[in-house]
Amino acid sequence: MTYDPSLRVLTVLELLQAHETVTGAELARTLEVSPRTVQRYIMRLQDLGIPVEGKRGVGGAYRLKAGFRLPPLMFTGDEALSLALGLLALQQLGLSDLTPAAGAARAKLARTLPAALRDTVQALEEAVQFDASPWVVNTDAGLLQRMLQAVREHHTARLGYTSHRREATERRVDIYRVLHVDGRWYAAGLCHLRASLRVFRLDRIASFEVLDDAFEPPTDFDALALVRREQPQRKAYEVSVWLAAPPAELRGQVSMWYTDLCAEGAGTRLRGKREHLSSFAAFLLGLGVDFQIESPPELRAEFGKLAARCAAAQEGSSGLRSIP
């Protein structure tokens, strides 16, 4: 049997983790090396901080310190690239609190990889750049962690919540799932106050407490379907607008939640649902491209209101004295 030197040291570690004690003679036979070479491998593990205990020499036995277990950290190329990309993309989930932890995890990952694979991952980190979406809402990572605890332990949570109508209430909720949709984190489950299934945005939760009360979650609960079912109830206006820019240029600037962007002529047809037409009208102006409104007529009326406000602001500004 032929071994690469680094693989021999790893094999010693695997044998030590698999058995309570292993003699030097057993290691020598398995690795097909001399007992003195085994001693060098043991010393190498100890230099790496692995707590190997035992007596060296002929007939000596070795063991790992009681309670010590080293998790497996051998990754394939695809696994290492997946981990590296996931850590880089963490901020796109609105969890900037975890940025320092992600950096430390990337450093640990680099230390566990062979040189060639480490260079590949480093090249990926230097070459890949993520564009920060304006739609991502930053979320408290500590809140998310406590919420996942409630989901895992099937315990009811008490939370202070502010609705989209800015109504502050205290809720007791059996949280079945936590999900990330269109730049926001949501908790979905049974709301005791409303006695029905509800969806809660994490960025609107002011306080959160895991209670001792337990619940049994349903086996066929679809949180994503619940979010999609609730959202249209508040987005009453069907909008259709033609924009003088290609779809590729608009993606990343336009929220894709209940929105379709399709190439049409020399531009893009935007179709979707919007609840607040005033803010959508201002958004269209801020895009900096020409557009034509097909529907709804209420959207055209919003531009009339914006024009009146702009005119009033212009007149007010002309009457002000310049500040020296």
Side-chain angles (χ1 to χ4, degrees):
M1 183 182 299
T2 302
Y3 285 91
D4 179 86
S6 59
L7 290 179
R8 291 175 178 175
V9 176
L10 291 175
T11 302
V12 172
L13 178 57
E14 291 295 330
L15 291 170
L16 290 172
Q17 291 193 112
H19 302 85
E20 185 175 349
T21 60
V22 185
T23 67
E26 290 171 336
L27 291 173
R29 284 197 301 272
T30 301
L31 299 177
E32 298 182 354
V33 297
S34 68
R36 186 176 295 277
T37 302
V38 169
Q39 293 178 27
R40 290 203 301 269
Y41 294 159
I42 295 295
M43 293 175 63
R44 176 59 177 158
L45 288 173
Q46 291 172 335
D47 291 340
L48 292 172
I50 308 300
V52 181
E53 300 176 338
K55 179 183 177 182
R56 300 176 184 175
V58 179
Y62 302 96
R63 68 176 185 180
L64 291 175
K65 184 177 180 180
F68 177 83
R69 282 293 182 271
L70 185 69
L73 291 174
M74 298 298 293
F75 300 109
T76 66
D78 288 345
E79 290 170 345
L81 291 177
S82 298
L83 288 170
L85 279 172
L87 291 169
L88 286 173
L90 191 60
Q91 282 189 308
Q92 306 310 307
L93 297 178
L95 298 172
S96 58
D97 291 351
L98 296 181
T99 300
R106 288 202 304 271
K108 289 181 180 179
L109 175 64
R111 290 198 297 270
T112 66
L113 298 177
L117 193 52
R118 184 168 59 248
D119 292 342
T120 300
V121 169
Q122 183 177 354
L124 176 145
E125 292 179 345
E126 293 175 351
V128 174
Q129 182 177 2
F130 288 95
D131 184 22
S133 171
W135 309 108
V136 174
V137 176
N138 196 44
T139 298
D140 183 352
L143 170 62
L144 178 61
Q145 186 175 10
R146 297 194 303 275
M147 188 168 289
L148 293 175
Q149 174 194 346
V151 175
R152 182 179 66 252
E153 298 177 352
H154 302 164
H155 279 187
T156 301
R158 180 190 293 120
L159 52 94
Y161 190 71
T162 303
S163 71
H164 68 285
R165 297 186 180 91
R166 301 192 181 281
E167 298 172 349
T169 56
E170 183 177 282
R171 312 285 186 104
R172 291 166 59 91
V173 183
D174 299 342
I175 303 175
Y176 300 152
R177 294 286 188 277
V178 179
L179 64 162
H180 185 268
V181 180
D182 193 39
R184 293 184 176 92
W185 283 94
Y186 295 87
L190 177 66
C191 174
H192 293 204
L193 179 64
R194 306 303 184 198
S196 62
L197 295 175
R198 285 290 190 270
V199 174
F200 302 93
R201 276 175 46 175
L202 267 65
D203 60 299
R204 290 178 176 167
I205 295 177
S207 61
F208 186 87
E209 179 186 0
V210 181
L211 305 177
D212 293 331
D213 301 346
F215 64 86
E216 188 63 32
T219 57
D220 57 349
F221 180 70
D222 190 340
L224 186 58
L226 178 62
V227 172
R228 288 174 173 168
R229 190 164 64 246
E230 282 206 354
Q231 289 297 102
Q233 296 175 3
R234 298 196 298 266
K235 296 181 179 177
Y237 295 99
E238 296 276 355
V239 300
S240 177
V241 178
W242 183 85
L243 301 164
E249 185 177 315
L250 295 170
R251 289 193 174 92
Q253 300 185 67
V254 178
S255 172
M256 298 308 295
W257 184 247
Y258 283 97
T259 301
D260 290 323
L261 296 179
C262 299
E264 183 178 307
T268 301
R269 173 65 59 180
L270 182 155
R271 292 186 176 91
K273 295 181 179 181
R274 292 296 184 272
E275 179 185 5
H276 302 294
L277 292 181
S278 58
S279 60
F280 183 63
F283 164 75
L284 289 175
L285 290 174
L287 277 177
V289 300
D290 293 336
F291 57 88
Q292 297 174 3
I293 301 171
E294 180 181 19
S295 64
E298 292 88 348
L299 182 56
R300 295 192 182 92
E302 289 298 331
F303 282 101
K305 296 177 184 178
L306 285 174
R309 290 178 61 189
C310 290
Q314 182 70 22
E315 291 176 3
S317 298
S318 63
L320 294 176
R321 296 179 180 178
S322 60
I323 300 174

